[in-house]
Amino acid sequence: MLFNQLKRRELITLIGGAASAPVLLLPLAAHGREDGPMRRVGVLMGLEADDPESQARLAAFAQGLQQAGWSIGQNLRIHYRWGAGDADNMRKYAAELVALAPDVILAHSSAAVGPLLQASRTVPVVFTLVADPVGAGFVNSLAHPGGNVTGVTNFEYAMSGKWLGLLKEVAPHVKAVAVLRESAIAAGPGQFGAIQAVAPVLGVDVRPVDVRDAGQIERDITAFARVSNGGLIVTGSPTASVHRELIIGLAARHLLPAVYNSGFYATSGGLLSYGPKFVDQFRRAAAYVDRILKGERPADLPVQAPTKLELVINLKTAEALGLTVPPMLLARSDEVIE
């Protein structure tokens, strides 16, 4: 495994540093002579450099490149930028990466793809964690992207409705749900719309809560917590990911059952999550970056869908909330945290 070769502390040192400075990962393979010209890859991340999720995802990306024959620091150089959930930073660093004229850029989420397309319609871009690339205008179609962008989607909007069903299954008393969404990206309103569509059938009143910064998140969740029989759904959002410890802590403080869009929330103390493994998406994105470096065009590479969705349940959190997880729900889970 990659982490056997590169300890966590060393990885932080290598991919951390100043957000605005180019960062070079040292070779992961044995030192040797460069094989051909040095190629350049940009990476625009929505998280912070020292976030464990950033480290895990980029380790998977680097491992995928290594397995394809690339040796970082020998025939491949990677330039990193970290938006940390800040839209202004994403625009700034997108322009910086495009100015470096890399061979291809890895874009983490819609929050990265949009600014990159504003900066260039020619530099190849491979995205991860984008819910609706067609609706956002990033690609012409999933089968035939066209243009300079392709990548891996994280889920279809229809899946968002399942989060509300899971919340009612684990907490049947819930009658009002605050849906944390990021309206600045196309997926935010799209996910809320899918949840809103199934709410009447489940007898739930859903309310959108825009995700912008820590202060606003705390104020809005605290205000919502005054409502009886409330719960939370946290949709796919780079800003929510950055502030996940705050969101999970507020849910615990106000005894709000919550469903999240990916497993790393549940492993961090969230009640329940349902969605794809984001680390796997970065590994799959590396395969597309490799193909582009070897001459293929993003326009000809179909957008890939998730291969597996995982249900993760945190029984410790359920107990703290006074909830009993139904046996049938436990039986469907992929991981149970006790």
Side-chain angles (χ1 to χ4, degrees), residues 33-113:
R33 188 177 62 179
E34 286 186 16
D35 183 16
M38 180 77 75
R39 309 301 296 274
R40 292 152 60 91
V41 173
V43 174
L44 182 56
M45 294 290 292
L47 301 177
E48 297 174 333
D50 60 355
D51 189 317
E53 272 297 304
S54 288
Q55 298 158 26
R57 296 175 192 183
L58 291 176
F61 179 63
Q63 184 181 46
L65 290 172
Q66 184 182 28
Q67 290 172 345
W70 297 98
S71 183
I72 301 172
Q74 296 181 47
N75 59 8
L76 186 69
R77 179 173 289 119
I78 302 183
H79 299 275
Y80 293 90
R81 296 294 187 275
W82 312 89
D86 185 289
D88 290 335
N89 280 343
M90 295 298 272
R91 287 189 289 269
K92 172 185 174 182
Y93 297 142
E96 285 187 8
L97 285 173
V98 168
L100 292 173
D103 296 289
V104 58
I105 297 176
L106 174 70
H108 168 217
S109 82
S110 298
V113 181

Side-chain angles (χ1 to χ4, degrees), residues 62-313:
Q63 184 181 46
L65 290 172
Q66 184 182 28
Q67 290 172 345
W70 297 98
S71 183
I72 301 172
Q74 296 181 47
N75 59 8
L76 186 69
R77 179 173 289 119
I78 302 183
H79 299 275
Y80 293 90
R81 296 294 187 275
W82 312 89
D86 185 289
D88 290 335
N89 280 343
M90 295 298 272
R91 287 189 289 269
K92 172 185 174 182
Y93 297 142
E96 285 187 8
L97 285 173
V98 168
L100 292 173
D103 296 289
V104 58
I105 297 176
L106 174 70
H108 168 217
S109 82
S110 298
V113 181
L116 285 169
L117 284 177
Q118 290 175 2
S120 173
R121 288 280 177 173
T122 57
V123 175
V125 173
V126 174
F127 62 73
T128 64
L129 312 190
V130 173
D132 183 15
V134 177
F138 300 155
V139 299
N140 295 333
S141 71
L142 299 181
H144 304 285
N148 62 318
V149 177
T150 188
V152 188
T153 63
N154 49 354
F155 44 72
E156 297 179 351
Y157 287 154
M159 197 201 80
S160 306
K162 295 182 179 179
W163 294 328
L164 186 57
L166 287 167
L167 182 56
K168 283 291 288 184
E169 197 170 350
V170 74
H173 67 280
V174 166
K175 299 296 182 183
V177 175
V179 179
L180 275 65
R181 58 88 189 264
E182 189 167 348
S183 62
I185 61 176
Q191 293 170 101
F192 178 74
I195 295 168
Q196 192 176 35
V198 301
V201 178
L202 296 172
V204 178
D205 173 39
V206 295
R207 312 171 187 187
V209 173
D210 203 16
V211 176
R212 293 188 297 273
D213 56 58
Q216 171 266 326
I217 291 170
E218 182 161 11
R219 287 191 299 272
D220 286 352
I221 292 180
T222 300
F224 173 78
R226 301 188 185 103
V227 176
S228 300
N229 300 319
L232 298 179
I233 292 177
V234 180
T235 65
S237 158
T239 303
S241 296
V242 169
H243 298 297
R244 63 184 179 276
E245 290 186 4
L246 170 64
I247 295 169
I248 292 169
L250 288 168
R253 182 192 311 168
H254 298 295
L255 299 178
L256 294 169
V259 172
Y260 304 87
N261 66 88
S262 185
F264 67 91
Y265 282 95
T267 56
S268 299
L271 171 62
L272 184 152
S273 66
Y274 181 64
K277 294 188 69 170
F278 290 169
V279 168
D280 180 61
Q281 293 216 343
F282 279 75
R283 187 175 292 107
R284 295 170 67 193
Y288 264 10
V289 168
D290 168 60
R291 291 173 67 173
I292 291 170
L293 289 172
K294 292 174 179 174
E296 295 190 58
R297 302 187 310 155
D300 302 325
L301 298 174
V303 174
Q304 298 183 41
T307 56
K308 180 176 173 56
L309 301 176
E310 292 192 328
L311 175 62
V312 183
I313 301 172

